[in-house]
Amino acid sequence: MAHPASHAHTDAPTHAEPHSHRHDHEQDHSHGHRHGSDGVAEGAMARVLDLDAELFGGYLTAVTGRLAGLAGGGVTHIVDLGAGTGTGTFALLERFPGARVTAVDSSPAMLAGLERTAQAKGLGSRVSTLEADAGSGLPGITGADLVWASASLHHLDDPAAALDGIRAALRPGGLLAVAEMDGMPRFLPDAVVPDRPGLEERCRHALSALHADQVPHLGADWGALLTAAGLTVEAEHTEDLELRAPLPPAAGEYAHLVLGRVRDALDGRLDPADRSALDAVLNGGALDVRHRDDLTVRSTRWTWTARRPTDRP
Ligand SMILES: C[S@@+](CC[C@H](N)C(=O)[O-])C[C@H]1O[C@@H](n2cnc3c(N)ncnc32)[C@H](O)[C@@H]1O
């Protein structure tokens, strides 16, 4: 697994990826929305994405600033691929005031929520949505100035094929920015539960094993994949992000949601004592992450920015 060499530290933590991933075939298209436990899981995921943007807005500001520097002027059409609730869409609209965004997602529920937010922010006229499986190209999109793909490409079955579709959707000279993260964020002090030091690291380890099976492109070498797709990588960054006390209340809610999703994803895969320890930080009792003042939020985010060459088809 190769990752960008340049290294930066910032006080702004990063976007977080919920880790009980789902795949497109789990989605119910019958009525344009999902229901039952999948719908609940997707609602929790949406909330995680929004909390992430609330807590880690500084990261998005920094990344979109770098993109503006690389893009130069004249950015009028941006695609947010795997847009989710629109954390990237809204950051990019702010950064590029002359642009409109096409938000692409395979989830109609995510897109419906994003549309509601755009209306509420008075940005409806600058946002359009497209329900599509980005693994099969970006239907109807050509000449895009910038494609933003945050925590989304690793979901696709065949990222190489998807990158061909993205390249075709970009204008010559247009940019693709890929943002990924290194796994679940870290929150807990080592001795969060007496007698179970290392709980969070064991959870991360168990998740990695699960993801190697379920989400094989998580942690892929995106720089190499972008190059293989005929794009020219112009910037790579690794950012180790950390939020420390005093944390806003959103941090406790965020930790609770992420660790709850971790607990669900690892059902039956954890040592029973670790499972009990995880329960203890989630069950509303004295150790609950929503009431603690000793959490930190730490995460690593990688970004790659690549350009479609102007001298080749
Ligand atoms: C972890 S979320 C990231 C959302 C957003 N980019 C962000 O950073 O906040 C991943 C998003 O990708 C979407 N997604 C997953 N597979 C997809 C596919 N094949 N085509 C389009 N979107 C997909 C999911 O529905 C979800 O909204």
Side-chain angles (χ1 to χ4, degrees), residues 187-188 252 255-256 259 280-282 287-292 295:
F187 303 100
L188 304 175
H256 191 261
L259 291 170
V281 299
L282 294 170
L287 299 177
D288 192 284
V289 289
R290 289 164 296 182
H291 316 311
R292 305 181 71 103
L295 298 184

Side-chain angles (χ1 to χ4, degrees), residues 98-124:
R100 65 189 169 89
V101 172
T102 304
V104 180
D105 206 288
S106 54
S107 160
M110 286 291 186
L111 292 176
L114 191 154
E115 277 173 3
R116 282 193 298 275
T117 308
Q119 292 298 338
K121 288 176 179 282
L123 293 169

